[in-house]
PDB file of all heavy atoms in Angstrom:
ATOM      1  N   ALA A   1      61.955  32.555  20.713  1.00  0.00           N
ATOM      2  CA  ALA A   1      60.649  32.378  21.350  1.00  0.00           C
ATOM      3  C   ALA A   1      60.833  31.848  22.734  1.00  0.00           C
ATOM      4  O   ALA A   1      59.932  32.064  23.643  1.00  0.00           O
ATOM      5  CB  ALA A   1      59.801  31.398  20.509  1.00  0.00           C
ATOM      6  N   LEU A   2      61.860  31.070  23.063  1.00  0.00           N
ATOM      7  CA  LEU A   2      62.024  30.553  24.305  1.00  0.00           C
ATOM      8  C   LEU A   2      62.583  31.599  25.257  1.00  0.00           C
ATOM      9  O   LEU A   2      62.504  31.571  26.469  1.00  0.00           O
ATOM     10  CB  LEU A   2      62.949  29.367  24.319  1.00  0.00           C
ATOM     11  CG  LEU A   2      62.494  28.183  23.521  1.00  0.00           C
ATOM     12  CD1 LEU A   2      63.533  27.152  23.361  1.00  0.00           C
ATOM     13  CD2 LEU A   2      61.205  27.650  24.114  1.00  0.00           C
ATOM     14  N   ARG A   3      63.324  32.558  24.797  1.00  0.00           N
ATOM     15  CA  ARG A   3      64.020  33.655  25.594  1.00  0.00           C
ATOM     16  C   ARG A   3      63.228  34.889  25.901  1.00  0.00           C
ATOM     17  O   ARG A   3      63.431  35.579  26.738  1.00  0.00           O
ATOM     18  CB  ARG A   3      65.372  33.957  24.909  1.00  0.00           C
ATOM     19  CG  ARG A   3      66.379  32.841  24.995  1.00  0.00           C
ATOM     20  CD  ARG A   3      67.583  33.173  24.346  1.00  0.00           C
ATOM     21  NE  ARG A   3      68.566  32.155  24.285  1.00  0.00           N
ATOM     22  CZ  ARG A   3      69.432  31.822  25.336  1.00  0.00           C
ATOM     23  NH1 ARG A   3      69.274  32.509  26.520  1.00  0.00           N
ATOM     24  NH2 ARG A   3      70.202  30.774  25.206  1.00  0.00           N
ATOM     25  N   ARG A   4      62.157  35.105  24.927  1.00  0.00           N
ATOM     26  CA  ARG A   4      61.322  36.250  25.147  1.00  0.00           C
ATOM     27  C   ARG A   4      60.430  36.120  26.322  1.00  0.00           C
ATOM     28  O   ARG A   4      59.627  35.165  26.369  1.00  0.00           O
ATOM     29  CB  ARG A   4      60.639  36.540  23.900  1.00  0.00           C
ATOM     30  CG  ARG A   4      59.771  37.826  23.879  1.00  0.00           C
ATOM     31  CD  ARG A   4      59.201  38.150  22.532  1.00  0.00           C
ATOM     32  NE  ARG A   4      60.215  38.345  21.505  1.00  0.00           N
ATOM     33  CZ  ARG A   4      60.532  37.611  20.534  1.00  0.00           C
ATOM     34  NH1 ARG A   4      59.817  36.533  20.388  1.00  0.00           N
ATOM     35  NH2 ARG A   4      61.428  37.938  19.742  1.00  0.00           N
ATOM     36  N   LEU A   5      60.403  37.080  27.208  1.00  0.00           N
ATOM     37  CA  LEU A   5      59.549  37.115  28.358  1.00  0.00           C
ATOM     38  C   LEU A   5      58.149  37.859  27.864  1.00  0.00           C
ATOM     39  O   LEU A   5      58.132  38.982  27.457  1.00  0.00           O
ATOM     40  CB  LEU A   5      60.116  38.006  29.448  1.00  0.00           C
ATOM     41  CG  LEU A   5      59.281  38.018  30.746  1.00  0.00           C
ATOM     42  CD1 LEU A   5      59.122  36.600  31.314  1.00  0.00           C
ATOM     43  CD2 LEU A   5      59.882  38.963  31.792  1.00  0.00           C
ATOM     44  N   VAL A   6      57.117  36.959  27.967  1.00  0.00           N
ATOM     45  CA  VAL A   6      55.788  37.441  27.637  1.00  0.00           C
ATOM     46  C   VAL A   6      55.065  37.307  28.916  1.00  0.00           C
ATOM     47  O   VAL A   6      54.794  36.029  29.243  1.00  0.00           O
ATOM     48  CB  VAL A   6      55.275  36.688  26.327  1.00  0.00           C
ATOM     49  CG1 VAL A   6      53.761  37.334  26.121  1.00  0.00           C
ATOM     50  CG2 VAL A   6      56.051  37.031  25.151  1.00  0.00           C
ATOM     51  N   GLY A   7      54.361  38.221  29.454  1.00  0.00           N
ATOM     52  CA  GLY A   7      53.730  38.092  30.687  1.00  0.00           C
ATOM     53  C   GLY A   7      54.688  38.042  31.813  1.00  0.00           C
ATOM     54  O   GLY A   7      55.880  38.610  31.721  1.00  0.00           O
ATOM     55  N   SER A   8      54.442  37.379  32.863  1.00  0.00           N
ATOM     56  CA  SER A   8      55.250  37.339  34.021  1.00  0.00           C
ATOM     57  C   SER A   8      56.251  36.179  33.914  1.00  0.00           C
ATOM     58  O   SER A   8      56.127  35.297  33.143  1.00  0.00           O
ATOM     59  CB  SER A   8      54.430  37.207  35.336  1.00  0.00           C
ATOM     60  OG  SER A   8      53.846  35.797  35.386  1.00  0.00           O
ATOM     61  N   PRO A   9      57.298  36.300  34.728  1.00  0.00           N
ATOM     62  CA  PRO A   9      58.204  35.040  34.880  1.00  0.00           C
ATOM     63  C   PRO A   9      57.491  33.767  35.213  1.00  0.00           C
ATOM     64  O   PRO A   9      57.926  32.711  34.642  1.00  0.00           O
ATOM     65  CB  PRO A   9      59.290  35.486  35.873  1.00  0.00           C
ATOM     66  CG  PRO A   9      59.255  36.988  35.865  1.00  0.00           C
ATOM     67  CD  PRO A   9      57.783  37.439  35.549  1.00  0.00           C
ATOM     68  N   ASP A  10      56.607  33.928  35.963  1.00  0.00           N
ATOM     69  CA  ASP A  10      55.784  32.675  36.342  1.00  0.00           C
ATOM     70  C   ASP A  10      55.041  32.068  35.127  1.00  0.00           C
ATOM     71  O   ASP A  10      55.076  30.823  34.894  1.00  0.00           O
ATOM     72  CB  ASP A  10      54.834  32.885  37.426  1.00  0.00           C
ATOM     73  CG  ASP A  10      55.417  33.063  38.781  1.00  0.00           C
ATOM     74  OD1 ASP A  10      56.554  32.611  39.012  1.00  0.00           O
ATOM     75  OD2 ASP A  10      54.771  33.694  39.703  1.00  0.00           O
ATOM     76  N   ILE A  11      54.506  32.871  34.367  1.00  0.00           N
ATOM     77  CA  ILE A  11      53.788  32.416  33.114  1.00  0.00           C
ATOM     78  C   ILE A  11      54.783  31.845  32.193  1.00  0.00           C
ATOM     79  O   ILE A  11      54.548  30.664  31.612  1.00  0.00           O
ATOM     80  CB  ILE A  11      53.033  33.541  32.465  1.00  0.00           C
ATOM     81  CG1 ILE A  11      51.874  34.035  33.291  1.00  0.00           C
ATOM     82  CG2 ILE A  11      52.590  33.129  31.026  1.00  0.00           C
ATOM     83  CD1 ILE A  11      51.111  35.241  32.797  1.00  0.00           C
ATOM     84  N   THR A  12      55.864  32.434  32.028  1.00  0.00           N
ATOM     85  CA  THR A  12      56.975  31.959  31.095  1.00  0.00           C
ATOM     86  C   THR A  12      57.438  30.672  31.585  1.00  0.00           C
ATOM     87  O   THR A  12      57.731  29.658  30.780  1.00  0.00           O
ATOM     88  CB  THR A  12      58.082  32.941  30.887  1.00  0.00           C
ATOM     89  OG1 THR A  12      57.566  34.149  30.441  1.00  0.00           O
ATOM     90  CG2 THR A  12      59.181  32.428  30.069  1.00  0.00           C
ATOM     91  N   ARG A  13      57.714  30.487  32.809  1.00  0.00           N
ATOM     92  CA  ARG A  13      58.270  29.198  33.425  1.00  0.00           C
ATOM     93  C   ARG A  13      57.132  28.200  33.210  1.00  0.00           C
ATOM     94  O   ARG A  13      57.528  27.011  32.872  1.00  0.00           O
ATOM     95  CB  ARG A  13      58.446  29.421  34.982  1.00  0.00           C
ATOM     96  CG  ARG A  13      59.089  28.126  35.575  1.00  0.00           C
ATOM     97  CD  ARG A  13      59.380  28.125  37.006  1.00  0.00           C
ATOM     98  NE  ARG A  13      58.403  28.686  37.813  1.00  0.00           N
ATOM     99  CZ  ARG A  13      58.298  29.934  38.383  1.00  0.00           C
ATOM    100  NH1 ARG A  13      59.272  30.783  38.180  1.00  0.00           N
ATOM    101  NH2 ARG A  13      57.214  30.323  39.056  1.00  0.00           N
ATOM    102  N   ASN A  14      55.940  28.452  33.461  1.00  0.00           N
ATOM    103  CA  ASN A  14      54.852  27.355  33.180  1.00  0.00           C
ATOM    104  C   ASN A  14      54.886  26.882  31.789  1.00  0.00           C
ATOM    105  O   ASN A  14      54.566  25.762  31.523  1.00  0.00           O
ATOM    106  CB  ASN A  14      53.526  27.977  33.658  1.00  0.00           C
ATOM    107  CG  ASN A  14      53.384  28.104  35.150  1.00  0.00           C
ATOM    108  OD1 ASN A  14      54.119  27.457  35.918  1.00  0.00           O
ATOM    109  ND2 ASN A  14      52.417  28.910  35.618  1.00  0.00           N
ATOM    110  N   GLN A  15      54.979  27.965  30.882  1.00  0.00           N
ATOM    111  CA  GLN A  15      54.985  27.547  29.456  1.00  0.00           C
ATOM    112  C   GLN A  15      56.136  26.651  29.054  1.00  0.00           C
ATOM    113  O   GLN A  15      56.042  25.688  28.316  1.00  0.00           O
ATOM    114  CB  GLN A  15      55.028  28.829  28.571  1.00  0.00           C
ATOM    115  CG  GLN A  15      53.656  29.532  28.587  1.00  0.00           C
ATOM    116  CD  GLN A  15      53.776  30.838  27.931  1.00  0.00           C
ATOM    117  OE1 GLN A  15      54.827  31.486  27.691  1.00  0.00           O
ATOM    118  NE2 GLN A  15      52.606  31.412  27.451  1.00  0.00           N
ATOM    119  N   LEU A  16      57.275  26.941  29.622  1.00  0.00           N
ATOM    120  CA  LEU A  16      58.552  26.173  29.349  1.00  0.00           C
ATOM    121  C   LEU A  16      58.342  24.807  29.969  1.00  0.00           C
ATOM    122  O   LEU A  16      58.758  23.852  29.314  1.00  0.00           O
ATOM    123  CB  LEU A  16      59.847  26.908  29.774  1.00  0.00           C
ATOM    124  CG  LEU A  16      60.024  28.211  29.077  1.00  0.00           C
ATOM    125  CD1 LEU A  16      61.346  28.897  29.774  1.00  0.00           C
ATOM    126  CD2 LEU A  16      60.414  27.825  27.623  1.00  0.00           C
ATOM    127  N   GLU A  17      57.730  24.786  31.187  1.00  0.00           N
ATOM    128  CA  GLU A  17      57.659  23.423  31.710  1.00  0.00           C
ATOM    129  C   GLU A  17      56.649  22.638  30.950  1.00  0.00           C
ATOM    130  O   GLU A  17      56.828  21.291  30.765  1.00  0.00           O
ATOM    131  CB  GLU A  17      57.124  23.591  33.148  1.00  0.00           C
ATOM    132  CG  GLU A  17      58.242  24.089  34.151  1.00  0.00           C
ATOM    133  CD  GLU A  17      57.709  24.427  35.490  1.00  0.00           C
ATOM    134  OE1 GLU A  17      56.446  24.372  35.800  1.00  0.00           O
ATOM    135  OE2 GLU A  17      58.579  24.778  36.467  1.00  0.00           O
ATOM    136  N   HIS A  18      55.610  23.274  30.412  1.00  0.00           N
ATOM    137  CA  HIS A  18      54.621  22.556  29.646  1.00  0.00           C
ATOM    138  C   HIS A  18      55.225  22.017  28.328  1.00  0.00           C
ATOM    139  O   HIS A  18      55.064  20.886  27.974  1.00  0.00           O
ATOM    140  CB  HIS A  18      53.483  23.495  29.238  1.00  0.00           C
ATOM    141  CG  HIS A  18      52.372  22.842  28.387  1.00  0.00           C
ATOM    142  ND1 HIS A  18      51.550  21.783  28.888  1.00  0.00           N
ATOM    143  CD2 HIS A  18      52.035  23.066  27.136  1.00  0.00           C
ATOM    144  CE1 HIS A  18      50.802  21.415  27.856  1.00  0.00           C
ATOM    145  NE2 HIS A  18      51.005  22.182  26.827  1.00  0.00           N
ATOM    146  N   LEU A  19      56.081  22.754  27.733  1.00  0.00           N
ATOM    147  CA  LEU A  19      56.880  22.343  26.482  1.00  0.00           C
ATOM    148  C   LEU A  19      57.751  21.129  26.873  1.00  0.00           C
ATOM    149  O   LEU A  19      57.887  20.159  26.118  1.00  0.00           O
ATOM    150  CB  LEU A  19      57.734  23.324  25.871  1.00  0.00           C
ATOM    151  CG  LEU A  19      57.059  24.324  24.912  1.00  0.00           C
ATOM    152  CD1 LEU A  19      58.003  25.493  24.589  1.00  0.00           C
ATOM    153  CD2 LEU A  19      56.592  23.630  23.696  1.00  0.00           C
ATOM    154  N   ASN A  20      58.517  21.168  28.006  1.00  0.00           N
ATOM    155  CA  ASN A  20      59.270  20.118  28.477  1.00  0.00           C
ATOM    156  C   ASN A  20      58.502  18.892  28.678  1.00  0.00           C
ATOM    157  O   ASN A  20      58.930  17.754  28.244  1.00  0.00           O
ATOM    158  CB  ASN A  20      59.957  20.500  29.704  1.00  0.00           C
ATOM    159  CG  ASN A  20      61.061  19.528  30.076  1.00  0.00           C
ATOM    160  OD1 ASN A  20      61.871  19.178  29.260  1.00  0.00           O
ATOM    161  ND2 ASN A  20      61.036  19.145  31.360  1.00  0.00           N
ATOM    162  N   THR A  21      57.303  19.020  29.321  1.00  0.00           N
ATOM    163  CA  THR A  21      56.405  17.827  29.476  1.00  0.00           C
ATOM    164  C   THR A  21      55.999  17.281  28.121  1.00  0.00           C
ATOM    165  O   THR A  21      56.029  16.018  28.033  1.00  0.00           O
ATOM    166  CB  THR A  21      55.197  18.180  30.377  1.00  0.00           C
ATOM    167  OG1 THR A  21      55.738  18.682  31.584  1.00  0.00           O
ATOM    168  CG2 THR A  21      54.290  17.044  30.621  1.00  0.00           C
ATOM    169  N   LEU A  22      55.527  18.066  27.194  1.00  0.00           N
ATOM    170  CA  LEU A  22      55.116  17.670  25.934  1.00  0.00           C
ATOM    171  C   LEU A  22      56.297  16.784  25.255  1.00  0.00           C
ATOM    172  O   LEU A  22      56.048  15.718  24.663  1.00  0.00           O
ATOM    173  CB  LEU A  22      54.671  18.669  25.113  1.00  0.00           C
ATOM    174  CG  LEU A  22      53.389  19.329  25.356  1.00  0.00           C
ATOM    175  CD1 LEU A  22      53.130  20.553  24.449  1.00  0.00           C
ATOM    176  CD2 LEU A  22      52.234  18.318  25.271  1.00  0.00           C
ATOM    177  N   GLY A  23      57.469  17.304  25.443  1.00  0.00           N
ATOM    178  CA  GLY A  23      58.616  16.819  24.722  1.00  0.00           C
ATOM    179  C   GLY A  23      59.048  15.333  25.256  1.00  0.00           C
ATOM    180  O   GLY A  23      59.696  14.682  24.593  1.00  0.00           O
ATOM    181  N   THR A  24      58.464  14.969  26.373  1.00  0.00           N
ATOM    182  CA  THR A  24      58.718  13.670  27.024  1.00  0.00           C
ATOM    183  C   THR A  24      57.788  12.609  26.404  1.00  0.00           C
ATOM    184  O   THR A  24      57.976  11.402  26.572  1.00  0.00           O
ATOM    185  CB  THR A  24      58.634  13.624  28.459  1.00  0.00           C
ATOM    186  OG1 THR A  24      57.234  13.866  28.781  1.00  0.00           O
ATOM    187  CG2 THR A  24      59.576  14.675  29.173  1.00  0.00           C
ATOM    188  N   GLN A  25      56.770  13.031  25.662  1.00  0.00           N
ATOM    189  CA  GLN A  25      55.741  12.127  25.123  1.00  0.00           C
ATOM    190  C   GLN A  25      56.412  11.518  23.844  1.00  0.00           C
ATOM    191  O   GLN A  25      57.083  12.079  23.064  1.00  0.00           O
ATOM    192  CB  GLN A  25      54.596  12.795  24.746  1.00  0.00           C
ATOM    193  CG  GLN A  25      53.825  13.567  25.890  1.00  0.00           C
ATOM    194  CD  GLN A  25      53.450  12.610  27.002  1.00  0.00           C
ATOM    195  OE1 GLN A  25      52.725  11.561  26.759  1.00  0.00           O
ATOM    196  NE2 GLN A  25      53.808  12.941  28.254  1.00  0.00           N
ATOM    197  N   PRO A  26      56.192  10.060  23.624  1.00  0.00           N
ATOM    198  CA  PRO A  26      56.804   9.425  22.552  1.00  0.00           C
ATOM    199  C   PRO A  26      56.396   9.881  21.219  1.00  0.00           C
ATOM    200  O   PRO A  26      57.004   9.683  20.157  1.00  0.00           O
ATOM    201  CB  PRO A  26      56.481   7.975  22.710  1.00  0.00           C
ATOM    202  CG  PRO A  26      55.225   7.934  23.685  1.00  0.00           C
ATOM    203  CD  PRO A  26      55.414   9.276  24.481  1.00  0.00           C
ATOM    204  N   HIS A  27      55.161  10.526  21.005  1.00  0.00           N
ATOM    205  CA  HIS A  27      54.544  10.944  19.815  1.00  0.00           C
ATOM    206  C   HIS A  27      54.872  12.482  19.493  1.00  0.00           C
ATOM    207  O   HIS A  27      54.334  13.048  18.613  1.00  0.00           O
ATOM    208  CB  HIS A  27      53.138  10.610  19.670  1.00  0.00           C
ATOM    209  CG  HIS A  27      52.309  11.250  20.768  1.00  0.00           C
ATOM    210  ND1 HIS A  27      52.332  10.741  22.113  1.00  0.00           N
ATOM    211  CD2 HIS A  27      51.543  12.272  20.829  1.00  0.00           C
ATOM    212  CE1 HIS A  27      51.547  11.532  22.776  1.00  0.00           C
ATOM    213  NE2 HIS A  27      50.952  12.472  22.092  1.00  0.00           N
ATOM    214  N   ILE A  28      55.669  13.125  20.430  1.00  0.00           N
ATOM    215  CA  ILE A  28      55.904  14.559  20.304  1.00  0.00           C
ATOM    216  C   ILE A  28      57.459  14.718  20.267  1.00  0.00           C
ATOM    217  O   ILE A  28      58.204  14.204  21.161  1.00  0.00           O
ATOM    218  CB  ILE A  28      55.254  15.332  21.332  1.00  0.00           C
ATOM    219  CG1 ILE A  28      53.714  15.138  21.417  1.00  0.00           C
ATOM    220  CG2 ILE A  28      55.578  16.818  21.291  1.00  0.00           C
ATOM    221  CD1 ILE A  28      52.929  15.717  22.516  1.00  0.00           C
ATOM    222  N   THR A  29      57.862  15.583  19.241  1.00  0.00           N
ATOM    223  CA  THR A  29      59.294  15.897  19.205  1.00  0.00           C
ATOM    224  C   THR A  29      59.351  17.470  19.317  1.00  0.00           C
ATOM    225  O   THR A  29      58.622  18.143  18.563  1.00  0.00           O
ATOM    226  CB  THR A  29      59.840  15.510  17.919  1.00  0.00           C
ATOM    227  OG1 THR A  29      59.744  14.122  17.702  1.00  0.00           O
ATOM    228  CG2 THR A  29      61.380  15.957  17.734  1.00  0.00           C
ATOM    229  N   VAL A  30      60.262  17.919  20.225  1.00  0.00           N
ATOM    230  CA  VAL A  30      60.380  19.327  20.376  1.00  0.00           C
ATOM    231  C   VAL A  30      61.894  19.595  19.962  1.00  0.00           C
ATOM    232  O   VAL A  30      62.753  19.039  20.643  1.00  0.00           O
ATOM    233  CB  VAL A  30      60.085  19.918  21.774  1.00  0.00           C
ATOM    234  CG1 VAL A  30      60.367  21.397  21.886  1.00  0.00           C
ATOM    235  CG2 VAL A  30      58.540  19.519  22.092  1.00  0.00           C
ATOM    236  N   GLN A  31      62.062  20.579  19.131  1.00  0.00           N
ATOM    237  CA  GLN A  31      63.487  20.935  18.746  1.00  0.00           C
ATOM    238  C   GLN A  31      63.579  22.497  18.820  1.00  0.00           C
ATOM    239  O   GLN A  31      62.574  23.219  18.678  1.00  0.00           O
ATOM    240  CB  GLN A  31      63.753  20.484  17.309  1.00  0.00           C
ATOM    241  CG  GLN A  31      64.033  18.924  17.201  1.00  0.00           C
ATOM    242  CD  GLN A  31      64.424  18.593  15.847  1.00  0.00           C
ATOM    243  OE1 GLN A  31      63.581  18.390  15.069  1.00  0.00           O
ATOM    244  NE2 GLN A  31      65.717  18.534  15.571  1.00  0.00           N
ATOM    245  N   VAL A  32      64.786  22.958  18.994  1.00  0.00           N
ATOM    246  CA  VAL A  32      65.085  24.338  19.016  1.00  0.00           C
ATOM    247  C   VAL A  32      65.949  24.818  17.827  1.00  0.00           C
ATOM    248  O   VAL A  32      66.982  24.238  17.635  1.00  0.00           O
ATOM    249  CB  VAL A  32      65.704  24.797  20.435  1.00  0.00           C
ATOM    250  CG1 VAL A  32      65.999  26.313  20.415  1.00  0.00           C
ATOM    251  CG2 VAL A  32      64.771  24.454  21.535  1.00  0.00           C
TER     252      VAL A  32
END
């Protein structure tokens, strides 16, 4: 899901940055 390009590279980059931001929150855990 992280490697699949859906939409443009800019959209994918924004989505990954959003996940990264969420993962810095103390009440959110992101694992791969």
Side-chain angles (χ1 to χ4, degrees):
L2 298 176
R3 295 183 178 275
R4 184 173 295 113
L5 182 65
V6 177
S8 71
D10 286 340
I11 290 172
T12 300
R13 183 179 53 253
N14 289 341
Q15 289 174 337
L16 292 173
E17 288 173 355
H18 180 66
L19 276 173
N20 188 51
T21 300
L22 286 175
T24 65
Q25 303 298 310
H27 59 285
I28 299 175
T29 302
V30 178
Q31 289 181 272
V32 176

